[in-house]
Amino acid sequence: MKKISNLLKLDFMIIKPYITFIHLFIFLAVTLYTSYSNASPISSIILILMFTMLYASYPFAIVDQNGVDSLYTIFGLNKKDVIKGRYAFLLAINILGATIGIAISFILSMIFKTEFILKEVLIITISTILALSTTQFIQYPILFKNGYLKSKATPYLPFAIVGLIVISGELLFKDQTLIFINKVTQFFVFNPILGAFGVLIIWLVLLFISYRTSYKYYIRREF
């Protein structure tokens, strides 16, 4: 556990120089503008989580560019520790993004004088984290297998595919998509515990598959 904690701290130290004031200003400006335009403070949570998601691959990129992988052994970290630490980093930045997003949403609710419904906020936050992290579960094994530089744009294909599916569904099957969304929403409304349990099980299975695949690939890499 201590090794994972050390690697988690190391990953945050690695990306710290790249979290610049300009980046933060742009992210905040886009979030505030979008939330104001839609008069929807809760949308800030989704946007912030999407922005923090961009940093999920930063440790891979920086480590690959500087050849840090081979130096992990100096800190007493083996490949298994690296994989666990990287998934812990993924969870940590999602939680950090959710915390910042909720705080901004609360502040905007007071400014717009709209009701801040905690239950609704938590549902949106958890749903967004589950959806985005699932996409990252596809991304991580690719990065562990080839590294960031060799993978190039490949790790971002899952995001493009998901976006394409969503856009295609809205354009080609708009009515059917709305009917499907309504059915899913009704199911969760009338079966919240069962629905949440089912989603959690699926998420955990995907996490396990992603972790095992990453382990299989990374353990074979030579530095």
Side-chain angles (χ1 to χ4, degrees), residues 1-209:
M1 192 66 184
K2 185 178 180 180
K3 290 183 178 180
I4 296 174
S5 176
N6 290 336
L7 187 66
L8 191 60
K9 293 177 182 177
L10 183 60
D11 278 349
F12 273 108
M13 288 176 61
I14 286 174
I15 71 167
K16 187 177 179 180
Y18 297 87
I19 306 177
T20 63
F21 174 78
I22 296 296
H23 286 159
L24 295 177
F25 177 79
I26 293 173
F27 293 161
L28 185 59
V30 172
T31 299
L32 293 176
Y33 175 76
T34 305
S35 299
Y36 176 77
S37 300
N38 299 326
S40 174
I42 203 168
S43 63
S44 62
I45 300 173
I46 300 174
L47 287 169
I48 292 295
L49 282 169
M50 290 179 68
F51 289 142
T52 54
M53 178 189 69
L54 297 175
Y55 288 99
S57 61
Y58 268 47
F60 290 96
I62 299 166
V63 165
D64 207 17
Q65 289 172 352
N66 296 281
V68 181
D69 274 306
S70 58
L71 299 179
Y72 279 136
T73 53
I74 297 176
F75 298 97
L77 300 169
N78 56 41
K79 291 183 178 180
K80 192 174 183 179
D81 295 327
V82 173
I83 297 170
K84 289 181 178 179
R86 202 56 54 80
Y87 276 87
F89 173 79
L90 175 60
L91 178 62
I93 61 171
N94 277 301
I95 293 175
L96 179 62
T99 303
I100 296 172
I102 291 173
I104 293 176
S105 178
F106 178 72
I107 294 172
L108 291 177
S109 294
M110 291 191 295
I111 295 174
F112 296 156
K113 296 181 180 179
T114 58
E115 189 176 2
F116 184 82
I117 305 173
L118 183 59
K119 184 178 180 180
E120 180 182 347
V121 168
L122 291 177
I123 290 174
I124 292 294
T125 302
I126 294 173
S127 299
T128 305
I129 290 176
L130 292 177
L132 293 178
S133 60
T134 298
T135 310
Q136 290 163 330
F137 291 162
I138 302 173
Q139 180 188 37
Y140 265 39
I142 299 173
L143 292 169
F144 272 116
K145 180 181 180 180
N146 301 319
Y148 185 87
L149 296 179
K150 289 183 179 179
S151 298
K152 296 182 180 178
T154 306
Y156 297 99
L157 283 178
F159 304 112
I161 293 172
V162 171
L164 184 62
I165 291 173
V166 172
I167 294 173
S168 299
E170 291 182 350
L171 293 177
L172 301 177
F173 310 101
K174 186 174 182 180
D175 294 336
Q176 292 87 337
T177 302
L178 290 174
I179 292 172
F180 175 75
I181 292 174
N182 287 332
K183 287 183 177 180
V184 172
T185 303
Q186 288 178 6
F187 175 80
F188 278 98
V189 169
F190 292 107
N191 306 278
I193 297 178
L194 180 61
F197 182 74
V199 170
L200 180 61
I201 292 297
I202 294 173
W203 185 82
L204 289 174
V205 169
L206 292 175
L207 170 59
F208 176 77
I209 294 173

